[in-house]
Amino acid sequence: MRLKTIRLYPFGHFTDESWDLEKPLVVIHGPNQLGKSTLRQAIFHALFTPTKLTTTKLESTVGPWLPLPAGDYAAVTLTFEHDGTTWTLEKRWGAGQSSGLRGGKTAIGEPAAVQAKLGEMLAHGEATFRHVLFTGQAELEQTLATIKNKASELRDMRDLFKAAAGAAADVDEQTLRRLLGEKIKEAFGRWEDDRGTPERQKGKEKGIDDPWINGAGHIAKAWYTWQTHEAERNTVLRIETELDRVTAEAATIEQEIVAADEFVKRFGGLRDALVERNLLNERVPRLEQDVATLGAAFVGWPTAEAAINEWSQRKPELETDRDRLVQERADAEARKAGAAIKAAFERISQAKQGWEDAQTEAMNHPDPGADRLRKIEQLVTAITAAENKLASRELSWRIDADEPGSVTVGRGVEPAETVAVGPEGLVGKAEARVRVAAAGIRLTVESGGDDIDALFASLTENRATLTGLLEACGAASAAAVQVMAVLHREAAAAAMNRKQVYESLLLGKTFEQWMEEVGAIENLPGTRETAVIDEEIGTKRMRLEEGNATARKHADTIADWKQKYTDHDTIGQKLLEARAELKQNKDQLASLPVLPERFVSVQEFLDRLTADNQLQVDGQKQLTVKKEDRARLTTELADRRSEDAAEQAEFAKRVFERARAKGRDYLRIREELDGIAAGGGDDPLANFSAKVAAMFSQITGQAATLAFVGQLPARVDRGGVQLPPERLSHGAGGALALAVRLAMAEAYLDGCPGFIMLDDPLVNLDKDRMAEAADILRKFSERSQVIFLTCHDHHAARLQPSAMVGQAE
Amino acid sequence: MPVRILHTADNHVGLPFKQYPADVRDKLVEERFAALGRLVETANERKTDFFVVAGDLFDSTRATVEDINKTAGILRGFAGVAVIVVPGNHDHHTGPETEVWKRFRRAIDGAAIIDLLNTSVVKSYEVAGQEVHFFPCPCPSKTGRDSTIGWVADAARERPNGLRIGIAHGNVTGLGLDAADQYFNMEPAALESSGVATWLLGHIHVPFPTVESGTQSAYFMAGTHTPDSLRCRHAGSAWWIECEGDRVTRYERLSPGRLRFVRIEREVCSADDIAAVLAECRGHEAARTILDLQLSGRLSAAEKTALDDAIGVLRPGFLHVSDESEIHGRIDAAQVASIYSDDGLAARLLTALLADEAHPDAATLAHELIQEVRNA
């Protein structure tokens, strides 16, 4: 589609205005108020907005373009060329709404039909025009942001590219995908290919016992069929095996019944006789035992009695011998013990002698007596004290006479004496008192104030008493008495000690008893060694015990016999009777039929016979059950064969495998389709990136290059400095946005007739960049119509030097 | 003077062939008898001493009286020393009451030449002054697992003189049945060490040895005497064996079958392939052949039509034809180039899929899908 003319009558602030749009590059140039945006909107609504609208819809779409202040309709007439035909599109919105499309022999008046026809001719949807082919200034600046924000729509763009390529010689990818999806669903419905089983339901397997009813695909169905045949095969196999088992068991039972029948038939008649034999077999040994017991008693009774008698005679002799030996052993023990007694007695005798010697020694040192000793000591003390006292009162005297004469001198308590006094005088000493008498004169001098006489009297008395006591003791002095006392005490203590030793050695017995014992030992007879005596005692005792035991046993036996049989004669009688009965039973046993071979005992035979009789009854019952089982299994098996079931299962498996292979082929197709969509060598978006890069490089005078991540420009490299698109200058950003827009438009149009509309896209470019961009636009218009709206003279001039304000050229 | 034995097994008289139409089924059923009759004739012509059936003479223990009588009648025609019949797993012997053998005994009543050896007891014969001992190992059930030949070694030692031949029925490890059919399994080593000149075996429907003739073999697998299913690729087989002294000296495979089961399982992708299939079809004696086509591959519409037409022409001549073929329309690079634009999605998709040898049908399926889209 290429636009030719447009008339707005009215639309926005245009009351009735027309533009010629027929050239490849249409430059609409004028000031800002010219209405470039109005014209752009008019073209958009003419192509995409139906005229039959609700009031609300009208207000949200064309409403802003109803003439102010009170216009109730807007109208546009657009002429364009498509496939060599010129079409006239007339639309009126609001009051008197109408649509009309005429071209060639076609004239359409119904709004929906008009839109449908337009859709066919436009090839692209409204969104494509809105986002790609019609670019306002604001949209241009937001190009990259829009692409980023609408990343998911990029895929839609890819689809659009391919749909555009989906001409007669190709296929529409979406339809192909939809159909392929259906095929895959038909194949894999309810099937988990990884597990090789139907899908589970809430974790529960959906096998043939609980199959999916709805949604099962070819594979699942084929699998169910296969598994059903496998189950059938297993069932048949199980029945065949069971039948084998039951048949074998029945055969075994039959064989056992036959064997039992034969046995019973052959040996059944022996039962009574062999029962009798069995009884006799038990009885005869018992009788034999009785006979043996009686025989033993009969023979043993007299023997036992004789043995008892013999023992009663021999026993006293043995006991006497034993007692003698015991006495000898006691003597031997006593003699052995006598040596020690004698030694002890020797020690006792020595102790006794020691004690007696000590007593004699003690008697040689008489005891002065404790009172006497104490009195003597007191007297010695008192005398010493008096003497000391008197000595301390010693008087020295001197008598001088003018003429020789004599004087009587009394010293102390001594009797006065008459002594001559010469010229030289007379001197002397006296204790405590001195009496001098001469010439009728008596002089008494006493020392101290005490009673001298009493003192001397006491002293004299004490000395006399002491002398008397010493004489009594036979001692010369008090010290001798003390020595005597010490000697006496030591001798007495020694005697006491000896006595204690002696008494302890007596061990509670008297010395006389010791003497008696020693005397008895001396009188003991001579004996042998105790070991020899002990051996003989042991022998004697053993013989006695054995003899007693034997005699007791014989006695017990005889007592037992007496209790059982009363007397010996009775035993004899019973023995005869038992022998007769034994013979009778043996004779009877010999006359009975013998036990068949193979049997160890009659009981074993009878057990077998009883078991076989029982088997004849039970076996038939079991056989009946087995035959019923066999009949049931045979009926259940019918004419089925596991081999046939296996063959059918094999066929079903083949069908399943084919279905699965076909399903996987579909998956393979989808995989390849996804691979192509994800980016093969002919990816139009890869080309898209290259075009963006080329145009950007051209606009920027080769000064900058672009790097992409995916389909989006990721950074700009300018002189080694790398910047993300959002940090580019207005100029560089505008150049990049224009390059992206043009590449997108080119990709969408892909060489087909069509047009793009740009609203002042060069405003941010400097002179050089603008010139390059203008060249690109001119070149672009050679392939697709470009409607260029601008309010900048130099832009218009650069693009089309003859462009006129408000007029298209 | 050699002892001559004809060894057959797995005759499966009474096999129902339920999957085939009545007329075909009748022919297949009758062929079981006819082939057995041909074997008896061959045996007689070759002055055979023993005609040995190593199990599965009948297809089941419920074989009909009619089938049994007919079989007995055929076997009565043997002119040698004895027909020896040993029960296999399909016609196993569980005791005197086993129905098939009760009926068989009645059917052979008075025919001293037929010996049913249904117990593991040595059967001895004298042929021209030479002792011949057969050691039969009948099957006691259909699905038993354990070999029944264990007793033979001791029994063989007790008969040191003469020719000793074992007869058993069951799988032999290594001969190829799957696990489910390995009934009464025998180990080759056990067979070889059992002290007999050779074993005459049945159960596996494929003959062993794999050669047509020879001089020594420790055991022979008869193979079914006439094909019984599509799994049977041979023309039916039996062994004719000569023994000298106590050993086998010569054997030769017989092919008594007249009907064939043929499964053609091929990938058909070109006119040459079609020609090869048709040639193979024509290579069989159609009137005696049950044909099962399992063709796969990719053909152009014209080729597919040509194939179908040719098969259609051949079909009436065959005894029976079943066709489970699945042949897709063919697409190749040239067709892609001629039908689709060079850089279009369809061309790229098909070109990529054509290169994928692991999924040879994917391109064809994709082409069909694309055509379905375009035609919608």
Side-chain angles (χ1 to χ4, degrees), chain A residues 278-291 582 586 589:
Chain A
N278 196 33
L279 289 173
L280 289 172
N281 275 341
E282 291 177 358
R283 190 183 300 158
V284 166
R286 197 168 64 242
L287 286 171
E288 286 175 339
Q289 181 61 40
D290 288 349
V291 167
L582 176 61
K586 281 186 171 177
L589 188 60

Side-chain angles (χ1 to χ4, degrees), chain A residues 225-252:
Chain A
T225 304
W226 171 35
Q227 292 303 308
T228 301
H229 282 296
E230 285 289 352
E232 166 71 0
R233 175 178 184 244
N234 290 334
T235 299
V236 173
L237 203 53
R238 178 188 59 74
I239 296 170
E240 288 177 346
T241 306
E242 186 75 356
L243 198 53
D244 273 349
R245 183 183 63 75
V246 171
T247 303
E249 288 171 355
T252 302

Side-chain angles (χ1 to χ4, degrees), chain A residues 39 90 98 103 136 183 187 194 229 270 309 331 358 383 385 395 482 500 594 633 646 651 690 719:
Chain A
L39 179 59
E90 294 177 333
S98 64
K183 296 288 185 187
D194 290 343
H229 282 296
L270 296 178
N309 290 335
D331 290 345
I383 290 167
L395 297 174
Q482 286 175 326
Q500 287 173 345
V594 296
L633 290 166
F651 173 74

Side-chain angles (χ1 to χ4, degrees), chain B residues 263-287:
Chain B
R263 170 172 284 164
I264 299 179
E265 198 167 2
R266 280 173 174 268
E267 187 177 46
V268 185
C269 297
S270 67
D272 289 345
D273 292 341
I274 294 173
V277 168
L278 296 176
E280 186 175 351
C281 289
R282 292 183 184 112
H284 295 287
E285 193 175 353

